[in-house]
Amino acid sequence: MQVSRYRKSAGPSAPKLMDFPLVLLTTVGARSGREFTHPLGGFEQPDGTWLVVGSNSGASTHPAWFINLAKNPESVWLEVGNRKLKVRPSLLKGNEREAALAGIAAISPRYADYQKKTDREIPIVCLKAS
């Protein structure tokens, strides 16, 4: 329901949810082969790429969309407002990941809290239009 509401009311830019833009990420299921769309916090970077965080609210497991993205990286779309972009995902690592997490936490502190709730390294994915 949230996805259809997003699409019906989307304008040229991403709507805000609390303190960050809301985007839609569509992936293809790792087992099913079906498309799934997930509303996520999205963080636009100065170079036009977008970052999404696989926080799963600090749970001990990765979110389903991250597993799907890892299995089918060639089938990923990002919707920002009323724009739908085919994107190429890349996983941030090391210092680049730490800097990205700090920047995201400065906008939305809950993301730093999620990392404290789990032993797994929460993935941060960079999405670049292809």
PDB file of all heavy atoms in Angstrom, residues 38-41 52-67 110-111 113-115 117-118 120-123:
ATOM      1  N   HIS A  38      10.650  -1.989  -2.394  1.00  0.00           N
ATOM      2  CA  HIS A  38      10.789  -1.668  -0.975  1.00  0.00           C
ATOM      3  C   HIS A  38      10.958  -0.160  -0.798  1.00  0.00           C
ATOM      4  O   HIS A  38      11.831   0.435  -1.427  1.00  0.00           O
ATOM      5  CB  HIS A  38      12.022  -2.358  -0.387  1.00  0.00           C
ATOM      6  CG  HIS A  38      12.061  -3.821  -0.660  1.00  0.00           C
ATOM      7  ND1 HIS A  38      11.472  -4.734   0.154  1.00  0.00           N
ATOM      8  CD2 HIS A  38      12.603  -4.526  -1.689  1.00  0.00           C
ATOM      9  CE1 HIS A  38      11.659  -5.945  -0.334  1.00  0.00           C
ATOM     10  NE2 HIS A  38      12.333  -5.841  -1.455  1.00  0.00           N
ATOM     11  N   PRO A  39      10.162   0.473   0.068  1.00  0.00           N
ATOM     12  CA  PRO A  39      10.406   1.880   0.414  1.00  0.00           C
ATOM     13  C   PRO A  39      11.584   1.953   1.395  1.00  0.00           C
ATOM     14  O   PRO A  39      11.627   1.213   2.373  1.00  0.00           O
ATOM     15  CB  PRO A  39       9.107   2.326   1.082  1.00  0.00           C
ATOM     16  CG  PRO A  39       8.298   1.104   1.328  1.00  0.00           C
ATOM     17  CD  PRO A  39       8.945  -0.050   0.656  1.00  0.00           C
ATOM     18  N   LEU A  40      12.536   2.805   1.083  1.00  0.00           N
ATOM     19  CA  LEU A  40      13.748   2.933   1.901  1.00  0.00           C
ATOM     20  C   LEU A  40      14.138   4.398   2.044  1.00  0.00           C
ATOM     21  O   LEU A  40      13.808   5.224   1.192  1.00  0.00           O
ATOM     22  CB  LEU A  40      14.929   2.210   1.237  1.00  0.00           C
ATOM     23  CG  LEU A  40      14.818   0.726   0.970  1.00  0.00           C
ATOM     24  CD1 LEU A  40      16.007   0.267   0.139  1.00  0.00           C
ATOM     25  CD2 LEU A  40      14.752  -0.039   2.268  1.00  0.00           C
ATOM     26  N   GLY A  41      14.895   4.671   3.072  1.00  0.00           N
ATOM     27  CA  GLY A  41      15.533   5.973   3.177  1.00  0.00           C
ATOM     28  C   GLY A  41      16.624   6.040   2.126  1.00  0.00           C
ATOM     29  O   GLY A  41      17.393   5.099   1.958  1.00  0.00           O
ATOM     30  N   VAL A  52      21.736   3.668   0.015  1.00  0.00           N
ATOM     31  CA  VAL A  52      20.687   3.034   0.813  1.00  0.00           C
ATOM     32  C   VAL A  52      21.388   2.149   1.834  1.00  0.00           C
ATOM     33  O   VAL A  52      22.486   1.634   1.587  1.00  0.00           O
ATOM     34  CB  VAL A  52      19.675   2.235  -0.039  1.00  0.00           C
ATOM     35  CG1 VAL A  52      18.824   3.160  -0.885  1.00  0.00           C
ATOM     36  CG2 VAL A  52      20.364   1.199  -0.905  1.00  0.00           C
ATOM     37  N   VAL A  53      20.750   1.977   2.974  1.00  0.00           N
ATOM     38  CA  VAL A  53      21.363   1.290   4.104  1.00  0.00           C
ATOM     39  C   VAL A  53      20.580   0.016   4.408  1.00  0.00           C
ATOM     40  O   VAL A  53      19.369   0.059   4.593  1.00  0.00           O
ATOM     41  CB  VAL A  53      21.387   2.210   5.348  1.00  0.00           C
ATOM     42  CG1 VAL A  53      22.074   1.529   6.513  1.00  0.00           C
ATOM     43  CG2 VAL A  53      22.061   3.530   5.015  1.00  0.00           C
ATOM     44  N   GLY A  54      21.288  -1.109   4.476  1.00  0.00           N
ATOM     45  CA  GLY A  54      20.657  -2.398   4.792  1.00  0.00           C
ATOM     46  C   GLY A  54      20.567  -2.612   6.287  1.00  0.00           C
ATOM     47  O   GLY A  54      21.031  -3.620   6.806  1.00  0.00           O
ATOM     48  N   SER A  55      19.936  -1.676   6.975  1.00  0.00           N
ATOM     49  CA  SER A  55      19.913  -1.725   8.445  1.00  0.00           C
ATOM     50  C   SER A  55      18.980  -2.785   8.991  1.00  0.00           C
ATOM     51  O   SER A  55      19.264  -3.386  10.022  1.00  0.00           O
ATOM     52  CB  SER A  55      19.501  -0.358   9.010  1.00  0.00           C
ATOM     53  OG  SER A  55      18.168  -0.064   8.653  1.00  0.00           O
ATOM     54  N   ASN A  56      17.847  -3.002   8.318  1.00  0.00           N
ATOM     55  CA  ASN A  56      16.827  -3.919   8.835  1.00  0.00           C
ATOM     56  C   ASN A  56      16.516  -3.576  10.291  1.00  0.00           C
ATOM     57  O   ASN A  56      16.329  -4.454  11.133  1.00  0.00           O
ATOM     58  CB  ASN A  56      17.265  -5.373   8.672  1.00  0.00           C
ATOM     59  CG  ASN A  56      16.103  -6.331   8.547  1.00  0.00           C
ATOM     60  OD1 ASN A  56      14.964  -5.920   8.375  1.00  0.00           O
ATOM     61  ND2 ASN A  56      16.391  -7.617   8.649  1.00  0.00           N
ATOM     62  N   SER A  57      16.533  -2.280  10.577  1.00  0.00           N
ATOM     63  CA  SER A  57      16.278  -1.731  11.927  1.00  0.00           C
ATOM     64  C   SER A  57      17.194  -2.306  13.002  1.00  0.00           C
ATOM     65  O   SER A  57      16.828  -2.411  14.166  1.00  0.00           O
ATOM     66  CB  SER A  57      14.807  -1.932  12.316  1.00  0.00           C
ATOM     67  OG  SER A  57      13.973  -1.231  11.435  1.00  0.00           O
ATOM     68  N   GLY A  58      18.390  -2.723  12.603  1.00  0.00           N
ATOM     69  CA  GLY A  58      19.353  -3.260  13.563  1.00  0.00           C
ATOM     70  C   GLY A  58      19.182  -4.746  13.848  1.00  0.00           C
ATOM     71  O   GLY A  58      19.802  -5.277  14.773  1.00  0.00           O
ATOM     72  N   ALA A  59      18.371  -5.442  13.052  1.00  0.00           N
ATOM     73  CA  ALA A  59      18.182  -6.891  13.240  1.00  0.00           C
ATOM     74  C   ALA A  59      19.484  -7.639  12.933  1.00  0.00           C
ATOM     75  O   ALA A  59      20.403  -7.105  12.314  1.00  0.00           O
ATOM     76  CB  ALA A  59      17.065  -7.395  12.331  1.00  0.00           C
ATOM     77  N   SER A  60      19.539  -8.884  13.347  1.00  0.00           N
ATOM     78  CA  SER A  60      20.753  -9.684  13.164  1.00  0.00           C
ATOM     79  C   SER A  60      20.913 -10.209  11.746  1.00  0.00           C
ATOM     80  O   SER A  60      21.953 -10.764  11.407  1.00  0.00           O
ATOM     81  CB  SER A  60      20.765 -10.851  14.155  1.00  0.00           C
ATOM     82  OG  SER A  60      19.661 -11.693  13.905  1.00  0.00           O
ATOM     83  N   THR A  61      19.904 -10.040  10.903  1.00  0.00           N
ATOM     84  CA  THR A  61      19.963 -10.518   9.518  1.00  0.00           C
ATOM     85  C   THR A  61      19.831  -9.359   8.540  1.00  0.00           C
ATOM     86  O   THR A  61      19.232  -8.331   8.855  1.00  0.00           O
ATOM     87  CB  THR A  61      18.829 -11.530   9.236  1.00  0.00           C
ATOM     88  OG1 THR A  61      17.584 -10.883   9.497  1.00  0.00           O
ATOM     89  CG2 THR A  61      18.970 -12.764  10.099  1.00  0.00           C
ATOM     90  N   HIS A  62      20.379  -9.566   7.354  1.00  0.00           N
ATOM     91  CA  HIS A  62      20.241  -8.569   6.294  1.00  0.00           C
ATOM     92  C   HIS A  62      18.791  -8.519   5.819  1.00  0.00           C
ATOM     93  O   HIS A  62      18.087  -9.533   5.853  1.00  0.00           O
ATOM     94  CB  HIS A  62      21.137  -8.910   5.106  1.00  0.00           C
ATOM     95  CG  HIS A  62      22.601  -8.804   5.382  1.00  0.00           C
ATOM     96  ND1 HIS A  62      23.188  -7.682   5.922  1.00  0.00           N
ATOM     97  CD2 HIS A  62      23.607  -9.688   5.183  1.00  0.00           C
ATOM     98  CE1 HIS A  62      24.490  -7.875   6.034  1.00  0.00           C
ATOM     99  NE2 HIS A  62      24.767  -9.092   5.594  1.00  0.00           N
ATOM    100  N   PRO A  63      18.346  -7.365   5.343  1.00  0.00           N
ATOM    101  CA  PRO A  63      16.998  -7.290   4.786  1.00  0.00           C
ATOM    102  C   PRO A  63      16.913  -8.086   3.479  1.00  0.00           C
ATOM    103  O   PRO A  63      17.912  -8.269   2.779  1.00  0.00           O
ATOM    104  CB  PRO A  63      16.790  -5.794   4.532  1.00  0.00           C
ATOM    105  CG  PRO A  63      18.156  -5.216   4.462  1.00  0.00           C
ATOM    106  CD  PRO A  63      19.042  -6.078   5.299  1.00  0.00           C
ATOM    107  N   ALA A  64      15.707  -8.537   3.146  1.00  0.00           N
ATOM    108  CA  ALA A  64      15.502  -9.348   1.937  1.00  0.00           C
ATOM    109  C   ALA A  64      15.972  -8.614   0.682  1.00  0.00           C
ATOM    110  O   ALA A  64      16.567  -9.221  -0.211  1.00  0.00           O
ATOM    111  CB  ALA A  64      14.033  -9.731   1.821  1.00  0.00           C
ATOM    112  N   TRP A  65      15.725  -7.307   0.620  1.00  0.00           N
ATOM    113  CA  TRP A  65      16.119  -6.577  -0.590  1.00  0.00           C
ATOM    114  C   TRP A  65      17.626  -6.640  -0.813  1.00  0.00           C
ATOM    115  O   TRP A  65      18.077  -6.664  -1.957  1.00  0.00           O
ATOM    116  CB  TRP A  65      15.621  -5.127  -0.573  1.00  0.00           C
ATOM    117  CG  TRP A  65      16.212  -4.231   0.471  1.00  0.00           C
ATOM    118  CD1 TRP A  65      15.646  -3.875   1.651  1.00  0.00           C
ATOM    119  CD2 TRP A  65      17.490  -3.561   0.426  1.00  0.00           C
ATOM    120  NE1 TRP A  65      16.479  -3.039   2.352  1.00  0.00           N
ATOM    121  CE2 TRP A  65      17.615  -2.819   1.621  1.00  0.00           C
ATOM    122  CE3 TRP A  65      18.527  -3.499  -0.495  1.00  0.00           C
ATOM    123  CZ2 TRP A  65      18.735  -2.052   1.907  1.00  0.00           C
ATOM    124  CZ3 TRP A  65      19.650  -2.730  -0.210  1.00  0.00           C
ATOM    125  CH2 TRP A  65      19.740  -2.017   0.970  1.00  0.00           C
ATOM    126  N   PHE A  66      18.410  -6.681   0.268  1.00  0.00           N
ATOM    127  CA  PHE A  66      19.862  -6.739   0.123  1.00  0.00           C
ATOM    128  C   PHE A  66      20.300  -8.096  -0.433  1.00  0.00           C
ATOM    129  O   PHE A  66      21.177  -8.163  -1.297  1.00  0.00           O
ATOM    130  CB  PHE A  66      20.549  -6.450   1.463  1.00  0.00           C
ATOM    131  CG  PHE A  66      22.045  -6.492   1.361  1.00  0.00           C
ATOM    132  CD1 PHE A  66      22.741  -5.466   0.748  1.00  0.00           C
ATOM    133  CD2 PHE A  66      22.759  -7.577   1.854  1.00  0.00           C
ATOM    134  CE1 PHE A  66      24.125  -5.511   0.625  1.00  0.00           C
ATOM    135  CE2 PHE A  66      24.137  -7.624   1.747  1.00  0.00           C
ATOM    136  CZ  PHE A  66      24.822  -6.596   1.130  1.00  0.00           C
ATOM    137  N   ILE A  67      19.679  -9.159   0.042  1.00  0.00           N
ATOM    138  CA  ILE A  67      19.977 -10.507  -0.476  1.00  0.00           C
ATOM    139  C   ILE A  67      19.625 -10.561  -1.964  1.00  0.00           C
ATOM    140  O   ILE A  67      20.404 -11.075  -2.781  1.00  0.00           O
ATOM    141  CB  ILE A  67      19.185 -11.584   0.304  1.00  0.00           C
ATOM    142  CG1 ILE A  67      19.445 -11.500   1.809  1.00  0.00           C
ATOM    143  CG2 ILE A  67      19.461 -12.966  -0.252  1.00  0.00           C
ATOM    144  CD1 ILE A  67      20.870 -11.689   2.242  1.00  0.00           C
ATOM    145  N   ARG A 110      19.264   7.707  13.785  1.00  0.00           N
ATOM    146  CA  ARG A 110      18.804   6.334  14.031  1.00  0.00           C
ATOM    147  C   ARG A 110      19.683   5.308  13.318  1.00  0.00           C
ATOM    148  O   ARG A 110      19.825   4.194  13.777  1.00  0.00           O
ATOM    149  CB  ARG A 110      17.341   6.162  13.638  1.00  0.00           C
ATOM    150  CG  ARG A 110      17.069   6.129  12.167  1.00  0.00           C
ATOM    151  CD  ARG A 110      15.599   5.936  11.814  1.00  0.00           C
ATOM    152  NE  ARG A 110      14.703   6.802  12.523  1.00  0.00           N
ATOM    153  CZ  ARG A 110      14.374   8.038  12.153  1.00  0.00           C
ATOM    154  NH1 ARG A 110      14.906   8.541  11.055  1.00  0.00           N
ATOM    155  NH2 ARG A 110      13.545   8.758  12.846  1.00  0.00           N
ATOM    156  N   TYR A 111      20.307   5.688  12.195  1.00  0.00           N
ATOM    157  CA  TYR A 111      21.149   4.736  11.471  1.00  0.00           C
ATOM    158  C   TYR A 111      22.396   4.353  12.268  1.00  0.00           C
ATOM    159  O   TYR A 111      22.843   3.221  12.211  1.00  0.00           O
ATOM    160  CB  TYR A 111      21.494   5.260  10.078  1.00  0.00           C
ATOM    161  CG  TYR A 111      20.325   5.123   9.128  1.00  0.00           C
ATOM    162  CD1 TYR A 111      19.482   6.193   8.873  1.00  0.00           C
ATOM    163  CD2 TYR A 111      20.033   3.906   8.523  1.00  0.00           C
ATOM    164  CE1 TYR A 111      18.395   6.065   8.026  1.00  0.00           C
ATOM    165  CE2 TYR A 111      18.951   3.766   7.670  1.00  0.00           C
ATOM    166  CZ  TYR A 111      18.137   4.845   7.431  1.00  0.00           C
ATOM    167  OH  TYR A 111      17.051   4.705   6.597  1.00  0.00           O
ATOM    168  N   ASP A 113      22.429   4.249  15.507  1.00  0.00           N
ATOM    169  CA  ASP A 113      21.880   3.394  16.568  1.00  0.00           C
ATOM    170  C   ASP A 113      21.653   1.967  16.075  1.00  0.00           C
ATOM    171  O   ASP A 113      21.861   1.011  16.820  1.00  0.00           O
ATOM    172  CB  ASP A 113      20.571   3.971  17.104  1.00  0.00           C
ATOM    173  CG  ASP A 113      20.767   5.305  17.816  1.00  0.00           C
ATOM    174  OD1 ASP A 113      21.906   5.579  18.263  1.00  0.00           O
ATOM    175  OD2 ASP A 113      19.786   6.068  17.914  1.00  0.00           O
ATOM    176  N   TYR A 114      21.229   1.808  14.824  1.00  0.00           N
ATOM    177  CA  TYR A 114      21.004   0.463  14.287  1.00  0.00           C
ATOM    178  C   TYR A 114      22.290  -0.357  14.325  1.00  0.00           C
ATOM    179  O   TYR A 114      22.281  -1.538  14.645  1.00  0.00           O
ATOM    180  CB  TYR A 114      20.491   0.527  12.847  1.00  0.00           C
ATOM    181  CG  TYR A 114      19.106   1.104  12.684  1.00  0.00           C
ATOM    182  CD1 TYR A 114      18.759   1.756  11.515  1.00  0.00           C
ATOM    183  CD2 TYR A 114      18.141   0.999  13.680  1.00  0.00           C
ATOM    184  CE1 TYR A 114      17.486   2.290  11.337  1.00  0.00           C
ATOM    185  CE2 TYR A 114      16.868   1.541  13.517  1.00  0.00           C
ATOM    186  CZ  TYR A 114      16.547   2.176  12.342  1.00  0.00           C
ATOM    187  OH  TYR A 114      15.294   2.697  12.168  1.00  0.00           O
ATOM    188  N   GLN A 115      23.418   0.277  13.978  1.00  0.00           N
ATOM    189  CA  GLN A 115      24.684  -0.460  13.976  1.00  0.00           C
ATOM    190  C   GLN A 115      25.047  -0.939  15.378  1.00  0.00           C
ATOM    191  O   GLN A 115      25.625  -2.005  15.544  1.00  0.00           O
ATOM    192  CB  GLN A 115      25.810   0.397  13.393  1.00  0.00           C
ATOM    193  CG  GLN A 115      27.134  -0.325  13.251  1.00  0.00           C
ATOM    194  CD  GLN A 115      27.060  -1.537  12.326  1.00  0.00           C
ATOM    195  OE1 GLN A 115      27.054  -1.406  11.132  1.00  0.00           O
ATOM    196  NE2 GLN A 115      26.995  -2.730  12.889  1.00  0.00           N
ATOM    197  N   LYS A 117      22.974  -1.988  17.566  1.00  0.00           N
ATOM    198  CA  LYS A 117      22.053  -3.051  17.980  1.00  0.00           C
ATOM    199  C   LYS A 117      22.429  -4.433  17.449  1.00  0.00           C
ATOM    200  O   LYS A 117      21.846  -5.428  17.863  1.00  0.00           O
ATOM    201  CB  LYS A 117      20.632  -2.731  17.488  1.00  0.00           C
ATOM    202  CG  LYS A 117      20.008  -1.523  18.154  1.00  0.00           C
ATOM    203  CD  LYS A 117      18.761  -1.079  17.439  1.00  0.00           C
ATOM    204  CE  LYS A 117      17.534  -1.800  17.897  1.00  0.00           C
ATOM    205  NZ  LYS A 117      16.307  -1.284  17.259  1.00  0.00           N
ATOM    206  N   THR A 118      23.391  -4.509  16.520  1.00  0.00           N
ATOM    207  CA  THR A 118      23.691  -5.776  15.868  1.00  0.00           C
ATOM    208  C   THR A 118      25.196  -6.015  15.757  1.00  0.00           C
ATOM    209  O   THR A 118      25.984  -5.069  15.760  1.00  0.00           O
ATOM    210  CB  THR A 118      23.043  -5.839  14.469  1.00  0.00           C
ATOM    211  OG1 THR A 118      23.263  -7.124  13.903  1.00  0.00           O
ATOM    212  CG2 THR A 118      23.592  -4.782  13.542  1.00  0.00           C
ATOM    213  N   ARG A 120      26.407  -7.703  13.102  1.00  0.00           N
ATOM    214  CA  ARG A 120      26.754  -7.718  11.680  1.00  0.00           C
ATOM    215  C   ARG A 120      27.109  -6.311  11.209  1.00  0.00           C
ATOM    216  O   ARG A 120      26.641  -5.312  11.765  1.00  0.00           O
ATOM    217  CB  ARG A 120      25.601  -8.283  10.841  1.00  0.00           C
ATOM    218  CG  ARG A 120      24.412  -7.368  10.738  1.00  0.00           C
ATOM    219  CD  ARG A 120      23.288  -7.981   9.889  1.00  0.00           C
ATOM    220  NE  ARG A 120      22.113  -7.161   9.995  1.00  0.00           N
ATOM    221  CZ  ARG A 120      21.794  -6.164   9.166  1.00  0.00           C
ATOM    222  NH1 ARG A 120      22.585  -5.902   8.139  1.00  0.00           N
ATOM    223  NH2 ARG A 120      20.708  -5.453   9.352  1.00  0.00           N
ATOM    224  N   GLU A 121      27.948  -6.224  10.211  1.00  0.00           N
ATOM    225  CA  GLU A 121      28.234  -4.927   9.624  1.00  0.00           C
ATOM    226  C   GLU A 121      27.065  -4.568   8.715  1.00  0.00           C
ATOM    227  O   GLU A 121      26.748  -5.296   7.786  1.00  0.00           O
ATOM    228  CB  GLU A 121      29.525  -4.948   8.823  1.00  0.00           C
ATOM    229  CG  GLU A 121      29.861  -3.591   8.233  1.00  0.00           C
ATOM    230  CD  GLU A 121      31.210  -3.560   7.557  1.00  0.00           C
ATOM    231  OE1 GLU A 121      32.215  -3.336   8.270  1.00  0.00           O
ATOM    232  OE2 GLU A 121      31.241  -3.795   6.343  1.00  0.00           O
ATOM    233  N   ILE A 122      26.424  -3.477   9.025  1.00  0.00           N
ATOM    234  CA  ILE A 122      25.281  -3.049   8.223  1.00  0.00           C
ATOM    235  C   ILE A 122      25.779  -2.538   6.881  1.00  0.00           C
ATOM    236  O   ILE A 122      26.636  -1.644   6.816  1.00  0.00           O
ATOM    237  CB  ILE A 122      24.475  -1.956   8.970  1.00  0.00           C
ATOM    238  CG1 ILE A 122      23.773  -2.601  10.174  1.00  0.00           C
ATOM    239  CG2 ILE A 122      23.477  -1.297   8.033  1.00  0.00           C
ATOM    240  CD1 ILE A 122      22.986  -1.659  11.024  1.00  0.00           C
ATOM    241  N   PRO A 123      25.289  -3.137   5.793  1.00  0.00           N
ATOM    242  CA  PRO A 123      25.777  -2.742   4.470  1.00  0.00           C
ATOM    243  C   PRO A 123      25.218  -1.393   4.028  1.00  0.00           C
ATOM    244  O   PRO A 123      24.067  -1.054   4.298  1.00  0.00           O
ATOM    245  CB  PRO A 123      25.264  -3.855   3.558  1.00  0.00           C
ATOM    246  CG  PRO A 123      24.122  -4.478   4.277  1.00  0.00           C
ATOM    247  CD  PRO A 123      24.347  -4.255   5.737  1.00  0.00           C
TER     248      PRO A 123
END
